[in-house]
Amino acid sequence: LTCLTCLVCFIASMPPPSVTGVASHATLGVFKKLWRRRDPVLRSWEDCGQPKITLQVGSESALLGIYQTAKDNGVPTFIVVDAGRTQIAPNTR
């Protein structure tokens, strides 16, 4: 089973709509990356019904550590860096 796992580093001041926006950006980002490469993982994920799960990560350093481990193991990855146009500071990951 191929499952898209979205990790979000929650910031105390981050309202739920912002969390949803970050997760949406991450989902679209990895989808577009796989689409451009015509990666067979994308087809597998679609054939399984596009399952997704969002998990909370306790800190930015933990998020970056998991990201690097996934990347090192060939797992498709995408990291969102906030532009700071809403309630979240610029360059927040």
Side-chain angles (χ1 to χ4, degrees):
L1 175 66
T2 302
C3 182
L4 187 144
T5 304
C6 184
L7 304 175
V8 179
C9 182
F10 287 86
I11 299 167
S13 62
M14 185 184 282
S18 293
V19 173
T20 303
V22 168
S24 296
H25 285 306
T27 300
L28 286 170
V30 77
F31 179 90
K32 286 168 43 176
K33 182 189 280 190
L34 294 171
W35 177 263
R36 283 191 292 269
R37 294 192 314 212
R38 303 291 188 246
D39 195 309
V41 169
L42 184 58
R43 172 61 72 189
S44 174
W45 178 67
E46 290 177 316
D47 289 346
C48 290
Q50 302 169 0
K52 296 166 274 318
I53 184 170
T54 301
L55 303 172
Q56 179 177 354
V57 179
S59 68
E60 184 177 325
S61 62
L63 174 70
L64 295 175
I66 296 166
Y67 168 79
Q68 192 60 52
T69 299
K71 197 170 177 179
D72 291 347
N73 286 284
V75 175
T77 57
F78 185 85
I79 195 157
V80 175
V81 179
D82 201 90
R85 294 188 186 114
T86 58
Q87 299 172 349
I88 301 171
N91 299 317
T92 300
R93 294 178 235 206

